[in-house]
Amino acid sequence: MADAPAPDEPEVLRLEGVRKSFGTSTPREVEVLHGIDLVLRRGEFCALIGPSGSGKSTMLNLIGLLDRPTAGTLFIEGRDTRDMDDASLTQLRGRSIGFVFQHHHLIGAFTAAENVMMPLLLYRNRPDVAMRRHAEALLDRVGLLPWKDSRVGNLSGGQQQRVAIARALAMSPALVLADEPTGNLDTRSADGVFDLLREMNQTSRTTFLIVTHDPRLAQRCDRIIEVVDGQIVADEAVLAPGRIGTA
Ligand SMILES: Nc1ncnc2c1ncn2[C@@H]1O[C@H](COP(=O)(O)OP(=O)(O)OP(=O)(O)O)[C@@H](O)[C@H]1O
Ligand SMILES: [Mg+2]
């Protein structure tokens, strides 16, 4: 594996025996994750694949601290999250985790720069010059500096997803979770967005966990984790991950 992180790279994420049920304490209780063990280290670029309904988004929601496991333990950057209250989880999420969703969840009426500044505003009350410069530098990295003052509602799907990536990186998170980030895009835009994720991974050593239904894109990751029926059934290194512009 070309750029595999050494085993001594710090752990960014650890799941031990993580289970998730919906409808607990009702007759309709159903367990959708059945004891997930997983470790991701700094700099890893991983695909999460599996059939529809296998539990990929449920897993991402737990890892992103948007929902809590029914059982098991989840560590983010070595911190046990089990006994954290909601305020602590929100703070940890804001500092350590970035999100890119299929539907970008940007605010259409705000400009690209304002959307990128959004996560920073959780920690400061109002935008300042440093924040704006930071947002502009991120938009530059994703190739959108000329559009910084455009309303995101007026941008193309691929451009919007690039803004979402810039926003995900605003807090320099250790881990970025992406749930079908290219699911809404045509092949060319999808390739561009995927290349960008890879570039961010390589330049910042950010760990990525990317849900995708596209085997071609999965093969461009360093590691492919496959979930079927709420269990990890395969977890393998990709020997020669496709490189930018080679797929
Ligand atoms: N809030 C919920 N309440 C009840 N069941 C849920 C809930 N969220 C998810 N599920 C169920 O959990 C299972 C896994 O769903 P999940 O969305 O994680 O699958 P997925 O692998 O992301 O699928 P897809 O590839 O279609 O996005 C499904 O059977 C789904 O119906
Ligand atoms: Mg899903």
Side-chain angles (χ1 to χ4, degrees):
M1 187 164 52
D3 299 325
D8 55 359
E9 286 284 4
E11 284 183 18
V12 168
L13 173 74
R14 171 178 284 269
L15 273 66
E16 289 179 355
V18 165
R19 296 176 176 272
K20 180 65 186 177
S21 300
F22 291 108
T24 41
S25 322
T26 74
R28 292 182 172 213
E29 175 167 349
V30 52
E31 189 179 87
V32 301
L33 292 178
H34 315 293
I36 302 282
D37 297 312
L38 180 68
V39 174
L40 301 188
R41 295 180 184 277
R42 184 168 70 187
E44 287 201 274
F45 194 69
C46 308
L48 181 61
I49 63 168
S52 185
S54 55
K56 304 180 298 297
S57 294
T58 304
M59 214 168 121
L60 242 60
N61 286 342
L62 297 179
I63 294 170
L65 309 176
L66 299 167
D67 199 359
R68 289 175 187 261
T70 317
T73 323
L74 200 148
F75 300 83
I76 302 285
E77 296 195 273
R79 293 183 61 194
D80 184 345
T81 61
R82 190 166 32 185
D83 298 322
M84 288 188 182
D85 60 20
D86 287 347
S88 308
L89 288 178
T90 300
Q91 193 164 47
L92 182 60
R93 185 193 312 122
R95 291 198 184 280
S96 297
I97 304 173
F99 296 91
V100 183
F101 297 97
Q102 179 175 2
H103 305 285
H104 48 71
H105 298 299
L106 299 170
I107 302 180
F110 286 12
T111 67
E114 286 164 347
N115 272 278
V116 174
M117 284 190 282
M118 215 68 81
L120 305 168
L121 288 168
L122 278 177
Y123 299 91
R124 267 173 276 173
N125 292 331
R126 48 194 190 88
D128 57 27
V129 175
M131 223 187 263
R132 183 165 286 278
R133 285 214 188 100
H134 183 56
E136 289 176 1
L138 285 163
L139 285 170
D140 196 18
R141 279 178 77 185
V142 303
L144 284 182
L145 192 56
W147 284 270
K148 66 184 166 66
D149 296 319
S150 304
R151 290 181 181 205
V152 296
N154 296 336
L155 301 182
S156 74
Q159 288 174 324
Q160 290 180 350
Q161 208 53 314
R162 285 168 181 271
V163 177
I165 291 167
R167 182 189 53 182
L169 294 166
M171 293 294 291
S172 306
L175 174 64
V176 171
L177 303 173
D179 200 344
E180 300 188 47
T182 61
N184 266 343
L185 305 177
D186 60 79
T187 308
R188 194 152 155 249
S189 310
D191 281 356
V193 163
F194 202 83
D195 288 347
L196 188 59
L197 296 177
R198 175 55 117 174
E199 194 185 313
M200 298 297 176
N201 158 253
Q202 288 175 338
T203 51
S204 315
R205 308 283 295 137
T206 310
T207 304
F208 280 78
L209 183 59
I210 305 167
V211 173
T212 180
H213 281 283
D214 185 341
R216 209 175 45 96
L217 294 182
Q219 284 299 331
R220 290 163 67 180
C221 296
D222 295 327
R223 176 177 168 191
I224 302 180
I225 300 153
E226 184 177 6
V227 184
V228 174
D229 287 339
Q231 281 177 314
I232 293 179
V233 298
D235 183 349
E236 282 163 8
V238 178
L239 291 178
R243 287 297 177 218
I244 293 173
T246 59

